[in-house]
Every structure is written in C-alpha cells, then in structure tokens.
C-alpha cells in the first residue's frame, strides 16, 4: 500500500486569514497534518499537507476521512475562491520531515 499525501491550498479572503487558520486548527484536531501560511507576497495563502500514514487515498477521497472531508467544510466566506487539492506520493526523502524530527 502506498502512502499518499494530500496538499490542500486556499487563498484567505481579506481579513479572514486568522479566522481560517483558527478554523483549520480546530477542525483538523489530531489529524496527521501540517498547516502552513504564506510568506511575503503570498501572505493570504494557506497550505495543508495531510499524511494518512498507513492508508491510501482513493481518487478524490483521503482514507483519513476525518482529515479529508473536514477541508470540504471550510466556510466559503473565509476564502477568495474555492480551495484546490492535489495528491502526491513521496519519491525521495532528502530533507527533514515530521517523521525525521520525532526522534531528534
């Protein structure tokens, strides 16, 4: 079975970045995810990486159902436009990731 990571990307509406981040933090709970906010000119961008370790993502649906489906529930008023998502399979590990840092 191949682990697939889902990358979810959204642009926060004016004045809604902190609300979006707070909503994601609450909604994702203990889901195996990393949340990033844009830097510099991309300050309104939010990216979530979902890692359903031990599971496989089917097309359009993460096996970690709670993590994947929760992103579909983001209040539309928090976003400039609909969020986008892509699925990835790790090819190599050339730098630190959350698994590498657990034992550090």
């Amino acid at each position: 079975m191949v682990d697939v990571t889902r990358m979810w990307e959204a642009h926060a509406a004016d004045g809604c970045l902190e609300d979006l981040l707070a909503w994601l933090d609450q909604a994702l709970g203990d889901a195996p995810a990393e949340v990033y906010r844009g830097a510099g000119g991309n300050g309104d961008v939010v990216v979530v990486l979902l890692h359903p370790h031990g599971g496989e993502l089917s097309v359009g649906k993460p096996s970690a159902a709670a993590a994947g489906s929760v992103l579909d529930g983001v209040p539309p008023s928090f976003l400039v436009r609909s969020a986008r998502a892509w699925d990835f399979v790790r090819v190599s590990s050339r730098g630190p990731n959350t698994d590498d840092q657990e034992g550090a």
Side-chain angles (χ1 to χ4, degrees):
M1 202 176 281
V2 175
D3 283 340
V4 175
T5 293
R6 165 138 318 157
M7 184 185 109
W8 179 90
E9 175 260 351
H11 289 259
D14 274 346
C16 292
L17 178 63
E18 295 304 322
D19 291 333
L20 175 58
L21 291 170
W23 188 92
L24 287 167
D25 184 57
Q26 177 71 30
L28 288 168
D30 292 333
E34 299 169 63
V35 179
Y36 296 86
R37 67 189 308 164
N42 295 318
D44 67 332
V45 176
V46 175
V47 172
V48 177
L49 299 178
L50 298 170
H51 307 287
H53 298 296
E56 199 172 307
L57 289 174
S58 59
V59 175
K61 290 186 180 177
S63 62
S69 63
V70 76
L71 296 176
D72 295 334
V74 173
S77 62
F78 289 173
L79 306 176
V80 170
R81 62 179 179 271
S82 296
R84 301 179 343 172
W86 301 269
D87 295 338
F88 295 91
V89 175
R90 180 178 285 204
V91 176
S92 67
S93 181
R94 297 186 181 202
N97 65 35
T98 55
D99 293 334
D100 297 335
Q101 295 176 14
E102 286 179 12

